[in-house]
Amino acid sequence: MSTSNLVYMANQIGKFFVSEDRDTAVDGIAEHLRLFWDPRMRSEIVAHLRAGGEGLDPPVRAAVARLS
Amino acid sequence: MSLVHEIDYGTPRIDSATTVTLTIDGRAVTVPEGTSVMRAAMEMGTEIPKLCSTDMLDSFGSCRLCLVEIEGRNGTPSSCTTPVAEGMAVKTQTDRLKRLRRGVMELYISDHPLDCLTCAANGDCELQTQAGAVGLRDVRYGYDNKHPAPPKDESNPYFTYDPEKCIVCSRCVRACEEVQGTFALTIAGRGFGSVVSAGMAEEFLASECVSCGACVQACPTATLTEKSIIDIGQPEHSVVTTCAYCGVGCAFKAEMRGDEVVRMVPYKDGKANRGHSCVKGRFAWGYTNHGDRILNPMIRERISDPWREVSWDEAIGRVASEFKRIQGAYGRGAIGGITSSRCTNEETFLVQKLVRAGFGNNNVDTCARVCHSPTGYGLKTTFGTSAGTQDFDSVEHTDVVVVIGANPTDGHPVFASRMKKRLRDGAKLIVVDPRRIDLVRMPHVEADYHLALKPGTNVAVLDAMAHVIVTEGLFDEAFVRERCDWDEFQEWAAFVADPRNSPEEVETVCGVPAETIRGAARLYATGGNAAIYYGLGVTEHSQGSTTVMAVANLAMATGNIGRPGVGVNPLRGQNNVQGACDMGSFPHELPGYRHISEDATRTIFESLWGAPLDREPGLRIPNMLDAAVEGSFRGLYIQGEDILQSDPNTHHVAAGLAAMECVVVQDLFLNETANYAHVFLPGSTFLEKDGTFTNAERRIQPVRKVMESRSGMEDWQITMAIANAMGFPMTYDHPSEIMDEVAALTPSFAGVSFDKLDRLGSIQWPCDEAAPEGTPVMHIDGFVRGKGRFVITEYIPTDERTGPRFPLLLTTGRILSQYNVGAQTRRTANAAWHQEDRLEIHPHDAEQRGIVEGDWVKLASRTGETTLRATLTERVAPGVVYTTFHHPDTQANVVTTEFSDWATNCPEYKVTAVQVAPSNGPSDWQREYEAQARASRRIAPVAEPAE
């Protein structure tokens, strides 16, 4: 999988929650990733976070951290 | 088997709670008030002679054949135009009536050719039948004084118009007006010079006729006749089945002679189409016998090799061995499958079962990924179920029709005709669309508001409408308090009320004047029953799911949910989009929209299927292609889809397919995706198999086999064979057994069976103990999820932006005569209307670029470029261009990008930044693609057996 593509997709999910408070946003993003992303996609985004998480927006970083 | 004869009651059914009792020929009959005498007579079994009346049309009273006598009244009124009255006493047969009718018939026949034995309508001619009914034995005026008629018009590929046989009953003209709503026909001239005229005395093909065939169906003689009837003769039996084109789901009688289809006639009892059809469903079935059909399985080692025809056993064996090898080498998740919205419920159910239980993963997806997946997400989130809320009949109770991002007259023409009828009867219309679609202004229909927004700004506009509704106090507080979560409503109301969502602010983003948005919002909220109908112009955006939820928010806020006439109605693109989604085709959901991670649900399936199921969601189509390029996904079974032509960024799709080690395509033709396939399994058309389709109104309808499968295996049998070869047993003898399994596993289908479908004709799910005959309107007493959920829908502009290099916005769609990738319709005479994809461009944009009508132009985006010819039109606004995607030699999706909906990855087909420039003809890429496709379709000659 293209990591940059996964980062883009994750941030796009994050933007949907832009009007929510941070906790709601992080919950919503993490839940969406759990419900709709194939495990290999989740593994790669988690690995990317562990490698520094370049490009991930702040609430998305928090959500991805919950997956690991 | 015999022909299915539907009773013609002469005039339409009247819905009235008040009844009237009268006597006809001495017998009492009770009918609804307002019913015609003709219909009342037919209700009790007496057929009054008639020519100009038929129950699809309002009474006209011109033929003077249906005369009756009424006690206490003077004269002999026509029974079709005379309403019943309490105590009325009618006589349908007296000496005077007999004389009058014979006299009328004499006049008709005196000016009608007497070539009955060689006439195409012989055996199905109402004039002939009525001449017999009135006992015509002679014509006192002679037979040799026929008035000259204009020449026969054979321009339409599907029917002929022979004025010589016309009796000027006006049924065709009225069918075009009342049933189709196109107003293409009229009666020109006077007296004996009266003739049916298409447009301004044009040939049918050149006129605005849309070739729906309603006129042909209405014609009582051979004046308008299907060419297939002329070629073949009259049918001898018929089978009721369901159209395989769009999501309207028209019921048809397939009228047959032996195993040859003679014609398709819309079925009056069809609850989706009520006896109407379009040019595709009625006429474009010739692809079934097209020479391009592949009828034998084929395999090849490499995609550069020619195909080799093999036995079914060898082909299935190759699929199973390759898929097992790939899983052994790369892991269980290295293969997957794609179901098709063109296939039956039973077939899609089996493919997802094969993937989940046979492959042992959840890598199954469907073409709804690229059309209505946001509908599934958005409506499930807000209402609790992934489906439209109404039946099509609902529109008859609608006061305000809102059409968002849909073009029903092209995409869903039969429903559009019903919608237009309601609009002609006085309903108001709001159109939200960047293009000036036909509904904006056409004969006897004109939108009250057209919000010609900039592509990609749907959410901003809907939020602005909500702003008006909330800030002006137009919401239905009682409904919201009772039916929705009040706290969530208040949060949402505060959000939309924010000044940034006001029409005045949004105008700068979307280009729609604030007052237009305000007017539309007020009309929607206060105009009575308001119903939203939407299409892919809503879903195919980076905010597709957000837009669906914004639509749901509006409906809930105004209380426009839970009764006839209102609702949220996604117009599904293909015949079985709804069904394919219902059947668990998405990687995260089991049939009935239950998440794969729900342990209790999964256990039910595991128990019945005898196999463990993975609790994790699988890959979506774009994820499969990404994973293929990356190397972790190596094998794909594609039933009835052409992802190379239909999915965005063709280059990327091609790269993904080329990276796989085993691509299996099951289709009617060697489609574009098959260029990258290693195994080809020949599929069957909807005429060659049994099953069910589910249309846009959740209506499950039977698909009935009218001829044997030309390839020898029906599609569900092919999937079953693959499953068995892979060691996962499937043992169905008939698709009805598959539906029984669906019913056993899926609560919303619990009461569905083929027997019940035979009995009722169709069923709208949910169908269970509480609703044993189905559910026409959903959410009547409460939402499926309990309380309706308001969702905050912040407008986020798409990342696809115009700029100096790509200053125009491209949006794509489909046209009336063609269907999606065109695999079927391109192989019919529908090509007469649309032989190539064209680029619609506004004259101002064209002039700036030196482009004139018909010029070849290069259409380029950040993703790729193609060439096609230009059509200058003001249907598109300056700055916006539009094209269709029906032709592989254009490949519009070479240009579209991979931007997609945030929630579902539904591609953003509706917004691509492009540049348009004059061109000399097809691009290098198009030439290379054409050569590659031709080479890929080579089939090696079958070796002669040794002596």
Side-chain angles (χ1 to χ4, degrees):
Chain A
M1 294 279 187
S2 153
T3 303
S4 62
N5 194 22
L6 294 177
V7 168
Y8 180 83
M9 287 165 57
N11 284 344
Q12 210 185 355
I13 295 164
K15 284 176 184 166
F16 173 73
F17 296 97
V18 69
S19 304
E20 306 281 2
D21 62 64
R22 183 183 160 84
D23 287 347
T24 306
V26 173
D27 288 349
I29 298 163
E31 179 76 351
H32 194 92
L33 294 174
R34 257 195 296 269
L35 290 177
F36 298 104
W37 279 30
D38 172 271
R40 78 192 80 174
M41 295 163 67
R42 298 204 305 261
S43 298
E44 288 189 34
I45 198 84
V46 168
H48 176 70
L49 179 68
R50 286 179 180 151
E54 186 183 351
L56 288 171
D57 292 339
V60 180
R61 293 177 72 93
V64 172
R66 286 195 193 170
L67 299 178
S68 48
Chain B
M1 285 189 289
S2 60
L3 280 169
V4 175
H5 285 291
E6 294 172 277
I7 296 171
D8 186 348
Y9 291 89
T11 61
R13 184 170 58 89
I14 300 293
D15 288 319
S16 172
T18 309
T19 58
V20 167
T21 299
L22 68 159
T23 61
I24 299 177
D25 297 333
R27 288 169 58 198
V29 60
T30 301
V31 293
E33 186 177 34
T35 301
S36 70
V37 169
M38 174 181 280
R39 186 173 181 110
M42 197 66 216
E43 297 269 4
M44 56 173 258
T46 295
E47 186 174 359
I48 299 173
K50 59 181 171 52
L51 277 174
C52 73
S53 61
T54 180
D55 59 12
M56 289 286 288
L57 305 172
D58 290 340
S59 58
F60 195 54
S62 79
C63 77
R64 313 315 295 172
L65 208 61
C66 69
L67 310 177
V68 292
E69 292 182 8
I70 300 174
E71 197 174 286
R73 296 194 188 183
N74 292 329
T76 51
S78 57
S79 61
C80 66
T81 56
T82 305
V84 295
E86 188 66 36
M88 177 186 271
V90 178
K91 288 184 177 174
T92 68
Q93 188 75 344
T94 68
D95 286 344
R96 178 165 67 149
L97 292 172
K98 283 191 274 188
R99 275 198 311 277
L100 286 170
R101 288 179 187 145
R102 279 186 190 170
V104 169
M105 187 55 82
E106 273 188 276
L107 289 168
Y108 277 117
I109 299 301
S110 71
D111 200 32
H112 192 84
L114 297 178
D115 59 350
C116 293
L117 286 179
T118 54
C119 178
N122 189 13
D124 186 31
C125 173
E126 291 183 44
L127 185 66
Q128 193 179 48
T129 302
Q130 297 303 332
V134 304
L136 183 72
R137 297 294 174 259
D138 192 17
V139 174
R140 288 168 289 171
Y141 314 106
Y143 301 96
D144 300 325
N145 298 311
K146 315 289 186 223
H147 289 81
K152 196 171 179 178
D153 176 357
E154 299 182 293
S155 61
N156 187 288
Y158 295 118
F159 61 84
T160 62
Y161 166 52
D162 186 355
E164 193 178 26
K165 302 202 170 175
C166 181
I167 60 171
V168 202
C169 64
S170 295
R171 276 165 60 162
C172 56
V173 176
R174 290 180 287 136
C176 191
E177 294 174 1
E178 296 174 28
V179 178
Q180 167 57 27
T182 292
F183 295 79
L185 304 181
T186 190
I187 301 292
R190 295 184 192 177
F192 280 112
S194 302
V195 290
V196 173
S197 174
M200 301 297 287
E202 298 154 284
E203 289 190 323
F204 267 79
L205 188 61
S207 75
E208 61 266 57
C209 163
V210 294
S211 200
C212 68
C215 56
V216 179
Q217 187 176 341
C219 181
T221 69
T223 309
L224 289 157
T225 305
E226 295 96 340
K227 288 182 174 175
S228 58
I229 288 280
I230 295 171
D231 290 343
I232 302 169
Q234 291 293 327
E236 43 79 28
H237 75 271
S238 44
V239 179
V240 175
T241 189
T242 305
C243 181
Y245 281 118
C246 79
V248 174
C250 295
F252 277 91
K253 293 182 292 182
E255 296 200 336
M256 312 290 297
R257 178 154 286 279
D259 66 352
E260 184 174 22
V261 178
V262 176
R263 65 180 171 188
M264 299 290 281
V265 179
Y267 189 45
K268 276 197 302 189
D269 282 347
K271 294 184 179 68
N273 57 319
R274 304 286 183 194
H276 189 37
S277 73
C278 75
V279 61
K280 296 189 287 290
R282 188 192 295 265
F283 294 124
W285 38 266
Y287 65 86
T288 295
N289 296 316
H290 195 277
D292 287 352
R293 276 284 297 272
I294 301 295
L295 302 176
N296 296 307
M298 302 189 297
I299 61 175
R300 58 185 174 185
E301 299 300 323
R302 293 172 296 276
I303 60 173
S304 54
D305 292 344
W307 287 103
R308 184 164 61 87
E309 292 184 348
V310 296
S311 67
W312 276 107
D313 282 347
E314 185 174 350
I316 297 293
R318 172 67 68 91
V319 175
S321 65
E322 277 296 282
F323 280 176
K324 282 196 278 195
R325 178 188 66 76
I326 290 170
Q327 285 192 304
Y330 302 102
R332 198 177 60 188
I335 62 173
I338 297 176
T339 76
S340 173
S341 295
R342 288 187 287 174
C343 289
T344 64
N345 284 319
E346 294 72 20
E347 288 158 355
T348 53
F349 178 85
L350 279 203
V351 172
Q352 63 88 34
K353 179 177 178 179
L354 167 68
V355 171
R356 297 187 200 283
F359 295 177
N361 62 50
N362 292 309
N363 295 331
V364 61
D365 207 356
T366 182
C367 53
R369 175 65 52 213
V370 299
C371 65
H372 268 289
S373 51
T375 290
Y377 182 89
L379 296 187
K380 185 167 185 183
T381 302
T382 49
F383 296 161
T385 191
S386 302
T389 61
Q390 312 296 120
D391 59 1
F392 288 147
D393 287 350
S394 170
V395 77
E396 293 173 11
H397 306 279
T398 299
D399 302 306
V400 179
V401 175
V402 185
V403 177
I404 309 177
N407 187 7
T409 54
D410 277 32
H412 304 85
V414 172
F415 176 66
S417 290
R418 299 186 70 182
M419 182 187 279
K420 287 187 289 185
K421 188 174 175 64
R422 178 67 195 125
L423 293 169
R424 291 198 301 276
D425 288 344
K428 304 292 185 185
L429 174 63
I430 299 167
V431 173
V432 184
D433 199 294
R435 293 174 73 225
R436 189 166 48 77
I437 60 171
D438 285 348
L439 277 178
V440 172
R441 192 165 193 271
M442 63 188 312
H444 301 277
V445 170
E446 184 162 13
D448 296 271
Y449 294 96
H450 176 205
L451 280 57
L453 73 181
K454 182 180 164 190
T457 61
N458 284 333
V459 172
V461 169
L462 294 172
D463 284 349
M465 287 179 69
H467 175 96
V468 176
I469 289 165
V470 167
T471 57
E472 296 187 7
L474 306 179
F475 57 93
D476 185 341
E477 182 173 340
F479 178 92
V480 174
R481 281 188 181 277
E482 181 191 343
R483 302 286 302 278
C484 306
D485 186 306
W486 180 248
D487 292 339
E488 285 173 347
F489 169 77
Q490 287 181 304
E491 287 174 28
W492 172 79
F495 159 72
V496 296
D498 188 280
R500 74 180 186 277
N501 290 317
S502 70
E504 289 70 23
E505 285 296 317
V506 167
E507 176 180 340
T508 61
V509 172
C510 70
V512 181
E515 270 313 299
T516 305
I517 297 174
R518 286 190 178 274
R522 289 167 188 149
L523 177 59
Y524 175 71
T526 65
N529 284 341
I532 296 174
Y533 294 88
Y534 72 84
L536 305 185
V538 158
T539 57
E540 290 176 344
H541 288 276
S542 60
Q543 280 203 290
S545 292
T546 313
T547 314
V548 173
M549 291 186 281
V551 164
N553 288 340
L554 280 182
M556 289 188 291
T558 54
N560 279 308
I561 286 287
R563 64 182 185 278
V566 299
V568 174
N569 304 276
L571 294 171
R572 306 286 187 161
Q574 300 198 74
N575 51 319
N576 202 34
V577 175
Q578 182 69 57
C581 299
D582 299 341
M583 292 297 104
S585 294
F586 288 134
H588 65 283
E589 279 176 341
L590 287 160
Y593 303 101
R594 289 161 295 168
H595 200 274
I596 191 72
S597 64
E598 292 173 16
D599 292 339
T601 305
R602 215 172 51 255
T603 301
I604 296 169
F605 281 80
E606 288 173 336
S607 171
L608 193 65
W609 289 353
L613 302 182
D614 190 341
R615 70 182 310 280
E616 294 286 355
L619 295 167
R620 299 165 171 173
I621 294 171
N623 309 146
M624 291 179 194
L625 296 167
D626 288 346
V629 171
E630 174 260 356
S632 67
F633 190 82
R634 294 286 178 169
L636 183 58
Y637 170 42
I638 306 172
Q639 185 188 66
E641 274 307 307
D642 191 357
I643 58 172
L644 189 72
Q645 192 179 339
S646 64
D647 285 32
N649 192 351
T650 305
H651 296 306
H652 182 65
V653 178
L657 289 168
M660 295 183 204
E661 296 178 13
C662 183
V663 175
V664 180
V665 167
Q666 182 175 324
D667 210 296
L668 304 176
F669 305 101
L670 278 172
N671 60 20
E672 308 311 306
T673 305
N675 296 346
Y676 293 89
H678 305 84
V679 180
F680 185 87
L681 305 173
S684 298
T685 72
F686 76 113
L687 297 168
E688 300 166 24
K689 57 195 180 188
D690 289 308
T692 57
F693 293 148
T694 306
N695 75 353
E697 43 170 6
R698 295 169 280 104
R699 187 181 302 283
I700 308 159
Q701 302 190 96
V703 177
R704 296 192 175 94
K705 184 174 180 173
V706 303
M707 62 178 70
E708 289 303 314
S709 165
R710 294 188 65 207
S711 68
M713 285 183 83
E714 299 174 34
D715 293 278
W716 60 275
Q717 292 173 315
I718 297 170
T719 306
M720 200 166 79
I722 295 172
N724 288 326
M726 291 192 70
F728 177 69
M730 288 189 188
T731 56
Y732 308 99
D733 289 323
H734 189 268
S736 62
E737 297 170 10
I738 304 171
M739 180 53 81
D740 291 342
E741 185 172 315
V742 173
L745 289 166
T746 314
S748 53
F749 278 67
V752 179
S753 69
F754 274 39
D755 284 345
K756 190 184 279 188
L757 285 166
D758 285 343
R759 200 168 68 249
L760 299 179
S762 63
I763 300 168
Q764 288 177 268
W765 66 260
C767 174
D768 50 23
E769 272 189 16
E773 297 196 352
T775 310
V777 176
M778 292 194 77
H779 315 301
I780 287 177
D781 298 319
F783 287 100
V784 169
R785 71 182 303 277
K787 293 285 188 184
R789 180 181 173 193
F790 282 88
V791 176
I792 291 176
T793 52
E794 186 75 62
Y795 168 62
I796 308 287
T798 173
D799 288 324
E800 177 70 356
R801 306 282 169 84
T802 54
R805 286 178 60 213
F806 302 105
L808 304 173
L809 282 178
L810 168 73
T811 178
T812 63
R814 70 188 195 201
I815 202 166
L816 171 66
S817 57
Q818 296 283 354
Y819 181 66
N820 286 10
V821 297
Q824 294 144 291
T825 45
R826 279 187 283 108
R827 293 179 170 95
T828 70
N830 278 27
W833 288 277
H834 188 83
Q835 294 160 352
E836 59 184 345
D837 294 320
R838 288 247 181 166
L839 185 76
E840 290 187 2
I841 184 168
H842 192 277
H844 291 173
D845 292 326
E847 187 177 2
Q848 284 179 347
R849 291 163 175 78
I851 295 166
V852 298
E853 178 69 28
D855 271 2
W856 281 98
V857 294
K858 183 175 79 172
L859 176 68
S861 73
R862 295 180 180 90
T863 305
E865 65 181 47
T866 186
T867 60
L868 68 173
R869 291 200 290 168
T871 290
L872 278 55
T873 173
E874 292 181 356
R875 285 168 64 92
V876 290
V880 177
V881 293
Y882 167 87
T883 191
T884 51
F885 53 93
H886 301 306
H887 293 270
D889 45 2
T890 309
Q891 291 272 21
N893 285 319
V894 169
V895 177
T896 55
T897 72
E898 288 178 278
F899 287 120
S900 65
D901 174 44
W902 67 271
T904 66
N905 286 136
C906 180
E908 191 166 51
Y909 291 117
K910 303 299 185 188
V911 188
T912 306
V914 295
Q915 179 58 292
V916 178
S919 169
N920 292 327
S923 66
D924 291 343
W925 176 84
Q926 283 169 298
R927 290 195 185 91
E928 287 164 15
Y929 180 80
E930 201 273 334
Q932 186 233 358
R934 196 177 331 111
S936 175
R937 293 186 178 122
R938 288 171 298 148
I939 300 174
V942 178
E944 294 292 329
E947 290 291 327

